[in-house]
Amino acid sequence: MRAPDERRVALLATLALLAMTASWGSTFFLIKDLLDRVPTVDFLAVRFTIAGLAMLVVAHRSVLALPRPVLRRAVVLGGLYGVAQILQTAGLAHTPASVSGFVTGLYVVATPLLAAAILRTRIGGATWAAVALAALGLGVLTLQGFSVGYGEAITLVAAVLYALHIVGLGAWSQPGAAVGLSVVQLLVIAAICMAAAATTGRAGVVLPERSSDWLSLVYMALVAGAVAIVAQTWAQAHLPPTRSAIIMSMEPVFAAGFAVALGGEGVTPRLLLGGSMVVAAMLLVELLPRRRRRIEAEVTHLAV
């Protein structure tokens, strides 16, 4: 049975992941508007460059303090995330946004498979049920039709890379190194996105012209970028990868909520049903460990 302090830390980690996921969800309608005026890879390059440089200024000592093995792992993790961003973006040009959202969300299925294969993690039946429920909920939320082509294929590769990133963070993240690990990841992601922007044939990176676009971009860089990845890196030092992935599957639920509240979209039966299924999956994976601990405590008490 885990000590009360460990349970409190796990709860804080869960709340940190939820806050991070909410910040990601808040960006969907902002990105949709911004990409009408700024090319996607240019947006990604500028967003992660701002995030990485801002974190480097604030926490450069955390980077310098990283042991060489941890630094290498941070580069690998940033590479996984950066390539996934590019592939997801490229896939979006060849597939509907709803299908792209669903296929990307399949990291919730890939994560336990990879955790079992790479980390030899045992995944219980209840956790698999939560994974299936989250995947079905994502489908109800996002799918309006489905066919498999080039766009779906490379988006699926992106989902697997996101899952590898989650598994890698679960294995390598340490609370004391979370900030330094995050800064290096952000700088690697920025470098990959800048390299992708350089291959478009345009002379330089396209920057926003409106002040409102810059405000959105800075919010997405600092809050939904820098702060979010620090929160994820720290939280995953305390939570198993599969549990993290199921919590993070709340992203489209938050995205739909922000779209209704701030983006002028309507509430639909699909939104309510799909969102409820994802929330139920998250509650299942969160409440079951507590019930198990309570039973263990009762058994221990009876034995005494």
Side-chain angles (χ1 to χ4, degrees):
M1 186 175 62
R2 295 194 299 178
D5 283 349
E6 291 178 329
R7 291 200 294 270
R8 280 196 290 270
V9 170
L11 176 60
L12 285 174
T14 298
L15 294 175
L17 272 188
L18 271 176
M20 175 212 72
T21 304
S23 74
W24 283 356
S26 72
T27 66
F28 274 63
F29 74 98
L30 295 174
I31 292 173
K32 183 178 179 181
D33 177 60
L34 184 60
L35 293 185
D36 289 337
R37 295 174 293 281
V38 179
T40 303
V41 289
D42 298 63
F43 156 71
L44 291 173
V46 176
R47 175 187 179 184
F48 285 106
T49 298
I50 293 173
L53 292 179
M55 285 298 297
L56 186 62
V57 169
V58 172
H60 60 278
R61 291 180 182 174
S62 297
V63 177
L64 296 174
L66 289 177
R68 195 171 293 258
V70 177
L71 185 62
R72 286 196 292 266
R73 291 167 182 171
V75 171
V76 171
L77 290 170
L80 288 171
Y81 196 97
V83 174
Q85 285 277 312
I86 300 303
L87 289 178
Q88 182 185 6
T89 301
L92 194 55
H94 301 277
T95 190
S98 60
V99 175
S100 175
F102 171 72
V103 176
T104 301
L106 288 178
Y107 66 73
V108 75
V109 178
T111 297
L113 294 173
L114 291 170
I118 298 171
L119 305 180
R120 298 290 187 265
T121 303
R122 182 182 176 277
I123 310 297
T127 302
W128 280 116
V131 166
L133 187 59
L136 287 171
L138 288 171
V140 173
L141 264 175
T142 59
L143 288 182
Q144 302 286 344
F146 189 83
S147 61
V148 178
Y150 171 75
E152 289 79 10
I154 62 174
T155 304
L156 182 59
V157 175
V160 173
L161 292 178
Y162 283 132
L164 279 171
H165 181 261
I166 293 169
V167 172
L169 271 182
W172 292 339
S173 183
Q174 303 166 359
V179 173
L181 199 63
S182 301
V183 176
V184 176
Q185 286 183 84
L186 286 167
L187 293 173
V188 172
I189 296 166
I192 290 172
C193 293
M194 276 292 185
T199 64
T200 60
R202 291 188 295 270
V205 174
V206 177
L207 299 175
E209 296 180 355
R210 301 180 182 180
S211 58
S212 58
D213 288 346
W214 273 111
L215 285 173
S216 296
L217 186 55
V218 169
Y219 165 76
M220 288 184 277
L222 299 183
V223 178
V227 174
I229 202 163
V230 171
Q232 182 187 3
T233 302
W234 177 84
Q236 284 206 242
H238 303 284
L239 297 174
T242 301
R243 184 172 168 186
S244 300
I246 293 172
I247 295 169
M248 290 160 63
S249 70
M250 283 287 292
E251 181 181 0
V253 179
F254 283 119
F258 280 109
V260 170
L262 303 176
E265 297 188 13
V267 178
T268 66
R270 289 170 62 93
L271 189 155
L272 293 174
L273 177 60
S276 298
M277 292 170 73
V278 176
V279 171
M282 188 195 68
L283 291 175
L284 180 62
V285 80
E286 283 299 307
L287 295 179
L288 273 177
R290 297 181 188 180
R291 182 173 180 272
R292 192 178 298 119
R293 288 195 299 269
R294 188 165 60 248
I295 292 173
E296 289 174 354
E298 291 172 356
V299 170
T300 302
H301 178 73
L302 289 173
V304 174

